[in-house]
Amino acid sequence: MTIDDEEAAGSATLMDTLPDRHRTVLRLRLAHGLPAVEVARILGTNVEGILLLQHAALNLLRRQLATGAVRGGEGPAGG
């Protein structure tokens, strides 16, 4: 496994800890590059709601990273 593979696996692990709606918003916005207005249309909400969910999701990820709450790939064979 390369460093990039490990980072991708760690990112996926972090994303999986998010509530479904937060995870969906981040995937649509960041991974698929959709504008907030399109994500709002897909999810049946408004742009402000999407931006709030995105902000909340990113804050949750920041807190998890800061506290080391999720450490993908670490264990006896990792690290």
Side-chain angles (χ1 to χ4, degrees):
M1 184 179 279
T2 67
I3 291 174
D4 288 340
D5 292 339
E6 290 175 10
E7 287 177 3
S11 297
T13 300
L14 279 174
M15 289 287 286
D16 289 342
T17 66
L18 293 174
D20 288 340
R21 198 132 168 109
H22 290 72
R23 186 173 54 244
T24 299
V25 167
L26 282 188
R27 285 192 173 143
L28 290 172
R29 293 279 289 140
L30 302 178
H32 297 285
L34 296 178
V37 67
E38 182 64 14
V39 175
R41 187 191 63 75
I42 291 168
L43 298 180
T45 189
N46 58 40
V47 173
E48 292 81 11
I50 295 303
L51 296 176
L52 285 171
L53 280 170
Q54 179 179 333
H55 181 74
L58 291 172
N59 280 336
L60 283 171
L61 292 176
R62 282 186 197 103
R63 279 196 300 263
Q64 289 175 348
L65 286 170
T67 62
V70 177
R71 292 186 175 108
E74 287 192 12

